[in-house]
Amino acid sequence: MTIRSHSVADLPGTIREMPVPTTPLLARALPHVSWSDAFAVAVPAGQQVHEAQVWADAIFRESPPGWVRVLFAVREVIVRAVGIEPGHPTVFDTVERRHDEVLLGTDQRHLGFRASVLVEPGRVVVTTVVEVHNRRGSIYSAVVRRLHPMVVRSMLARAAQKMAVRA
């Protein structure tokens, strides 16, 4: 695992895009990675450090921001119309875990994806890796890539707020 130094400008709650970290779980997450991204949120010094699974649940299982829920509902309508598998409750199931990292995701006909939630001192990193399987996956992925950073930032910010309250 590569632990990166943090900037003094990383105030608690600050979310920054960052290079995709190198971790054992991400290294074997998918056979081929078509695209990836990573975002980190700074956690206040002295805040209780929760396990990676607790963070993963706060990010992916607890209620996302309203606009993200609407976006997911619109996605369901559109994908059914173009012949892509709809989402299902297991889409963010834990695939593998370590004490400091949880890997979630699913494989569908059009693409496979994994989301890593990595807990490091002073921050939590969410990394997404995607493997496109076919033309539908390429088209779907091209649209998702435009919205994905906003969605991840919003979900990570909301989870950080929830976790700060729990601390």
Side-chain angles (χ1 to χ4, degrees), residues 20-164:
V20 172
T22 303
T23 71
L25 296 186
L26 281 171
R28 61 180 183 265
L30 294 170
H32 170 76
V33 175
S34 302
W35 64 270
S36 61
D37 61 19
F39 296 89
V41 63
V43 178
Q47 178 177 323
Q48 178 185 356
V49 178
H50 295 279
E51 290 182 9
Q53 186 65 59
V54 174
W55 273 95
D57 291 344
I59 296 165
F60 296 105
R61 293 201 181 280
E62 296 177 16
S63 181
W67 73 271
V68 173
R69 284 195 307 270
V70 168
L71 192 62
F72 286 160
V74 169
R75 176 217 180 266
E76 291 304 304
V77 171
I78 293 171
V79 299
R80 288 173 196 255
V82 298
I84 292 177
E85 295 169 73
H88 46 85
T90 61
V91 74
F92 291 116
D93 276 0
T94 298
V95 175
E96 196 172 354
R97 84 178 83 205
R98 293 168 39 104
H99 70 283
D100 61 342
E101 183 181 18
V102 173
L103 194 64
L104 309 108
T106 194
D107 293 305
Q108 295 183 316
R109 286 186 303 268
H110 65 293
L111 61 74
F113 86 93
R114 299 294 182 270
S116 160
V117 177
L118 176 66
V119 175
E120 296 181 328
R123 71 180 179 183
V124 174
V125 181
V126 174
T127 303
T128 304
V129 293
V130 176
E131 178 181 26
V132 174
H133 297 306
N134 55 38
R135 184 171 165 215
R136 282 190 176 133
S138 293
I139 294 167
Y140 174 82
S141 186
V143 173
V144 167
R145 282 189 79 171
R146 296 187 188 289
L147 299 170
H148 190 260
M150 292 181 289
V151 170
V152 172
R153 285 176 187 269
S154 182
M155 291 174 69
L156 190 52
R158 187 174 182 108
Q161 290 171 345
K162 290 178 184 179
M163 298 302 275

